[in-house]
Amino acid sequence: MTGDFPSGSTIYFAEWIPVSLTYNYQTTIMFSTVLLSGLSIIGAIIYFIRYKYKKQLNIITSADQAREILKSDQYVRHISNAWLINTLSIVNPFTIHDKSLLKTFKNRVILILANWYKEDKYEELVFVIGKRIDYHIPLLQLNNRKLCLSKLVKQVTLDSFLTGVLNVNANDDLLTELPDLIIHLWKNRDDKKAQTRLKELFVNNNDQFTQSEIWQQIQTILSNHSSAISNMGINDFDEKISNPLNIIVPGWETMWRVVFYSLLELLRHPKLLEELSLQLNDQSKSPQNCLLLECIIKETLRLYPPTKNIYRTHIQTGEEVRIDIQHIHHNKSAWGSDACTFRPDRFQEKLTDEQQKHYLPFSISCPARHKFAYIFAGAIITEIIKHCPTFTIAEESILPSTDKLLDVTRNSYNDLLILV
């Protein structure tokens, strides 16, 4: 091959490659370049389309807009509630979008709760709560007259709801384990061991729930709407319909936090606690008519709404929204410069129109929002204070100063001890 090239010539490799091979090589390079460019363009188009049409989670902080969405038939509960079906086996109007189910369930609960508006039923409820506190304090009390406030509130609220409202006498295992199991599964939704234990507790208390007339009424409503539940492709929906959590979670989960945070704020405001205690001990007045207690509960609900965010999805556009209830409740234009300060006396006078719009602790459809929530929470607060005459924070426990809001994480102040 050396004889093919002039002596002293510089030979480049490309010059040596046959013409046909050079052509194929150049064609391949050009094709690859075009292909890569085309893929890049297609990728950019796909990214643009996804970005443009992706469901954006719109955050709603306007009270007017929030109320419009909550009233609208065009918005349904967001898919984020689906975990309640999968983890806690709840198939009530909180998880199932069905107008008939919502209306029937809501109307029945309103009628049930109306019983406790009567003076004799209220006194009966207070008596039951007092008995349950008498039962739980010795079980929780340590040797040094101290006990864990969160455990007392969770267990007493659950026991009072089951015994006083549902007429269910659950065993100690359910009363002590269920509150922590629910809260645990709220954070650890795939814990199969905890889910199994949850089912065991209800199996062991099945006879008690079967004897509850109110629970049977609720279960019948769910059964009558089984088609709406089965249409969602839910597995084992018969088992889920018979799950007592369908009524326990709505009745207990919100209430214990209202009671707990009201008591925490009273512990941070000793003078207010003293004033409330004096009024509650006035035998000439019923605690049900204690304005100060009502104001404390309402201010607690304003500062620490049980549901901080409400999620909805538009049925036609797919638009997803998050209604920021906490932001609405802390709006300074409605509540003043001290909107983030615990001041119950703001509720002693009639709220302005703007304040009424900016107060949504139970959304707009919760059956308990009118009166029962305040009656039930107020009765528990009253009886805990009466049964714990010293009711102060133990020296080893600490709460933030009053110029700061309390932490609303579910396990916050879980170890806080009080003197009883």
Side-chain angles (χ1 to χ4, degrees):
M1 290 182 62
T2 55
D4 296 335
F5 302 102
S7 176
S9 299
T10 303
I11 307 301
Y12 292 96
F13 181 69
E15 294 176 341
W16 175 79
I17 299 176
V19 173
S20 60
L21 185 60
T22 302
Y23 174 80
N24 290 336
Y25 174 76
Q26 291 175 342
T27 302
T28 302
I29 292 296
M30 289 178 62
F31 177 77
S32 299
T33 302
V34 171
L35 179 62
L36 289 173
S37 299
L39 290 175
S40 298
I41 293 171
I42 293 171
I45 293 172
I46 292 174
Y47 177 82
F48 174 78
I49 293 173
R50 285 181 176 176
Y51 178 82
K52 182 176 178 61
Y53 294 101
K54 180 183 178 181
K55 293 180 181 178
Q56 297 295 312
L57 182 64
N58 296 326
I59 301 175
I60 308 299
T61 57
S62 162
D64 289 325
Q65 194 175 359
R67 288 181 175 275
E68 284 182 15
I69 291 172
L70 292 171
K71 291 178 182 178
S72 174
D73 291 335
Q74 297 300 306
Y75 285 88
V76 298
R77 293 186 182 278
H78 189 36
I79 195 65
S80 61
N81 279 3
W83 78 268
L84 291 168
I85 300 175
N86 301 325
T87 302
L88 298 181
S89 298
I90 293 176
V91 286
N92 61 20
F94 289 95
T95 58
I96 306 298
H97 176 65
D98 183 82
K99 292 180 182 179
S100 175
L101 172 60
L102 174 61
K103 182 179 179 179
T104 309
F105 188 95
K106 178 181 173 181
N107 289 343
R108 172 53 56 185
V109 172
I110 288 174
L111 288 175
I112 292 170
L113 298 183
N115 285 326
W116 280 269
Y117 301 165
K118 305 169 186 175
E119 186 63 31
D120 60 331
K121 293 295 289 184
Y122 172 77
E123 292 176 357
E124 179 184 321
L125 181 63
V126 169
F127 177 78
V128 169
I129 291 171
K131 283 289 187 181
R132 303 328 299 159
I133 293 174
D134 281 336
Y135 178 77
H136 286 279
I137 284 182
L139 297 176
L140 294 171
Q141 191 170 348
L142 305 174
N143 294 331
N144 50 11
R145 290 178 50 246
K146 299 174 184 177
L147 60 77
C148 176
L149 180 60
S150 68
K151 285 186 177 181
L152 177 66
V153 170
K154 291 171 189 173
Q155 293 181 21
V156 166
T157 305
L158 176 62
D159 198 352
S160 299
F161 180 72
L162 292 178
T163 308
V165 179
L166 297 185
N167 195 27
V168 171
N169 296 308
N171 64 29
D172 284 347
D173 287 344
L174 186 141
L175 295 175
T176 56
E177 293 184 48
L178 184 59
D180 290 332
L181 268 177
I182 293 175
I183 294 171
H184 171 78
L185 285 169
W186 218 279
K187 290 187 173 183
N188 304 277
R189 300 175 180 180
D190 297 323
D191 189 334
K192 300 301 181 183
K193 185 177 180 181
Q195 291 178 35
T196 299
R197 181 54 182 160
L198 198 65
K199 292 180 181 179
E200 290 175 353
L201 289 174
F202 287 121
V203 169
N204 295 337
N205 286 270
N206 183 63
D207 291 343
Q208 287 79 4
F209 280 96
T210 301
Q211 296 170 16
S212 169
E213 182 180 345
I214 292 176
W215 167 234
Q216 293 306 314
Q217 291 175 10
I218 297 298
Q219 196 171 345
T220 298
I221 291 172
L222 296 175
S223 297
N224 290 342
H225 292 83
S226 59
S227 59
I229 299 171
S230 61
N231 287 341
M232 292 186 65
I234 296 172
N235 296 324
D236 304 321
F237 67 87
D238 285 332
E239 178 183 329
K240 290 178 171 63
I241 285 173
S242 61
N243 176 17
L245 286 180
N246 283 305
I247 192 65
I248 290 176
V249 167
W252 168 80
E253 214 283 327
T254 294
M255 282 297 101
W256 82 260
R257 283 185 286 147
V258 175
V259 173
F260 187 53
Y261 279 87
S262 295
L263 291 172
L264 290 179
E265 283 293 4
L266 285 171
L267 287 170
R268 295 208 299 173
H269 296 82
K271 290 184 178 179
L272 182 63
L273 173 59
E274 183 179 359
E275 182 183 352
L276 178 62
S277 298
L278 288 173
Q279 293 192 25
L280 294 177
N281 289 320
D282 185 348
Q283 300 297 323
S284 65
K285 297 180 181 178
S286 169
Q288 186 178 6
N289 301 319
C290 180
L291 178 60
L292 178 58
L293 177 59
E294 182 180 331
C295 291
I296 288 169
I297 294 171
K298 286 183 176 179
E299 180 70 341
T300 300
L301 285 166
R302 187 188 69 81
L303 278 182
Y304 313 108
T307 303
K308 294 187 296 182
N309 298 291
I310 298 176
Y311 295 86
R312 292 289 185 268
T313 301
H314 196 283
I315 58 177
Q316 293 182 343
T317 66
E319 176 201 20
E320 297 176 352
V321 300
R322 173 170 68 85
I323 301 173
D324 192 334
I325 299 296
Q326 184 165 277
H327 185 280
I328 292 171
H329 279 198
H330 296 177
N331 187 299
K332 291 184 178 180
S333 65
W335 298 103
S337 58
D338 63 349
C340 292
T341 301
F342 183 77
R343 189 169 65 78
D345 61 353
R346 73 174 84 240
F347 283 93
Q348 288 184 351
E349 302 295 333
K350 184 180 178 181
L351 297 181
T352 66
D353 291 342
E354 277 301 300
Q355 289 172 336
Q356 289 181 29
K357 284 193 298 185
H358 285 77
Y359 189 65
L360 288 162
F362 299 108
S363 184
I364 62 170
S365 60
C366 176
R369 77 187 190 280
H370 295 298
K371 195 171 181 180
F372 181 77
Y374 304 101
I375 290 176
F376 189 53
I380 297 175
I381 293 168
T382 298
E383 291 305 302
I384 287 179
I385 291 175
K386 286 183 176 180
H387 284 73
C388 304
T390 54
F391 197 68
T392 52
I393 304 176
E395 59 184 11
E396 63 265 44
S397 296
I398 300 174
L399 282 174
S401 57
T402 55
D403 61 334
K404 298 178 181 177
L405 288 173
L406 294 167
D407 185 354
V408 292
T409 309
R410 287 186 185 276
N411 286 327
S412 297
Y413 317 110
N414 216 26
D415 300 322
L416 185 134
L417 299 178
I418 59 167
L419 294 172
V420 295

